[in-house]
Amino acid sequence: MLGLDPMYVANEGKLIAVVPPEDAERLLAVMRRHPLGRNAAVIGQVVADHAGMVVMQSLVGGERVVTMLSGEQLPRIC
């Protein structure tokens, strides 16, 4: 509505952990034991396709390259 892309707006209190696939389920189980980690989930994977790029898949199956932010990041408004 405001023209802000949520991929580039500051977001506090989140963790992204990059772990070997064979450790993912065990890590999720540990994280979900804590109340703040109850919604922990695998949100992506590292693959050979699109080397050097981050590609996001939409809910309807489309793909979008996630580019580096150009310009300044919006300041946090607390």
Side-chain angles (χ1 to χ4, degrees):
M1 184 166 105
L2 299 175
L4 302 175
D5 186 334
M7 293 298 293
Y8 301 107
V9 177
N11 191 347
E12 297 177 352
K14 303 295 183 247
L15 168 73
I16 294 179
V18 180
V19 299
E22 60 271 14
D23 296 332
E25 288 304 318
R26 188 171 50 137
L27 176 60
L28 284 175
V30 170
M31 292 174 71
R32 289 175 180 158
R33 282 188 241 160
H34 190 282
L36 296 176
R38 69 181 177 273
N39 295 322
V42 173
I43 63 166
Q45 57 186 335
V46 177
V47 297
D49 301 343
H50 311 294
M53 297 179 1
V54 174
V55 178
M56 180 174 65
Q57 189 170 39
S58 72
L59 292 174
V60 296
E63 290 185 343
R64 167 186 164 191
V65 175
V66 180
T67 59
M68 293 291 289
L69 178 65
S70 63
E72 294 293 319
Q73 183 177 14
L74 291 173
R76 294 188 336 225
I77 301 172
C78 302

